[in-house]
């Protein structure tokens, strides 16, 4: 089985990564960390920069887990990429980070977390920053 973490280079993404590492260590499962963005936008805050990717990969190596970082910029939404991974892997849990937003913010911007919760076929653990 696999623990899947949806990572974005923000505090809530780090919280999800930390919890994913913790769960994978406890359950002795493989860990896949995914950062996905459709691309095409120069300032996409969900897309991990090279230094973010290197930092996460160092954390995964230091964890001692069977772990892999996947970085997708292929024109698909993050939700689509995560759905495909859930469908192709035996995922025991998907870990996502949540950020606090106002009701108006959710209405205007939508919620990737909500889309994930409603669309994936595996258990989802949503974590918040400390």
């Amino acid at each position: 089985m696999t623990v899947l973490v949806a990572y974005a280079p923000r505090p809530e993404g780090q919280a999800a990564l930390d919890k994913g590492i913790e769960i994978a260590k406890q359950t002795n499962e493989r860990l896949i960390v995914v950062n996905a963005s459709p691309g095409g936008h120069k300032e996409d805050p969900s897309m991990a920069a090279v230094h973010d990717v290197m930092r996460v990969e160092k954390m995964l190596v230091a964890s001692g887990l069977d772990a892999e970082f996947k970085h997708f910029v292929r024109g698909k939404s993050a939700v689509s990429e995560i759905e495909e991974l859930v469908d192709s892997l035996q995922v025991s849990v998907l870990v996502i980070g949540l950020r606090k937003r106002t009701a108006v913010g959710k209405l205007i911007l939508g919620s990737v977390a909500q889309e994930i919760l409603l669309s994936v076929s595996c258990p989802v653990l949503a974590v918040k920053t400390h």
Side-chain angles (χ1 to χ4, degrees):
M1 298 291 284
T2 300
V3 174
L4 181 62
V5 172
Y7 175 79
R10 297 187 291 261
E12 59 274 10
Q14 185 62 49
L17 177 60
D18 293 342
K19 182 55 79 171
I21 290 171
E22 178 186 325
I23 293 169
K25 283 183 176 182
Q26 290 174 350
T27 59
N28 197 30
E29 291 181 275
R30 182 174 184 223
L31 176 66
I32 302 290
V33 179
V34 62
N35 174 252
S37 170
H41 306 289
K42 291 184 181 195
E43 297 297 323
D44 184 349
S46 64
M47 188 165 56
V50 173
H51 68 276
D52 294 313
V53 173
M54 290 174 51
R55 185 184 62 76
V56 170
E57 287 177 339
K58 284 181 184 178
M59 284 184 69
L60 296 179
V61 168
S63 74
L65 293 166
D66 176 10
E68 181 181 356
F69 185 85
K70 293 182 178 283
H71 185 77
F72 297 126
V73 185
R74 317 188 277 201
K76 297 179 184 178
S77 72
V79 175
S80 295
E81 295 286 9
I82 291 166
E83 285 175 330
E84 286 182 22
L85 284 171
V86 167
D87 291 342
S88 67
L89 302 170
Q90 290 184 329
V91 176
S92 62
V93 64
L94 168 61
V95 184
I96 62 173
L98 295 180
R99 62 183 166 169
K100 186 175 180 176
R101 295 198 335 211
T102 65
V104 173
K106 290 177 198 170
L107 177 65
I108 294 171
L109 299 174
S111 173
V112 172
Q114 183 176 353
E115 279 188 66
I116 289 171
L117 286 168
L118 296 173
S119 65
V120 297
S121 60
C122 68
V124 179
L125 174 62
V127 298
K128 296 192 298 187
T129 59
H130 301 305

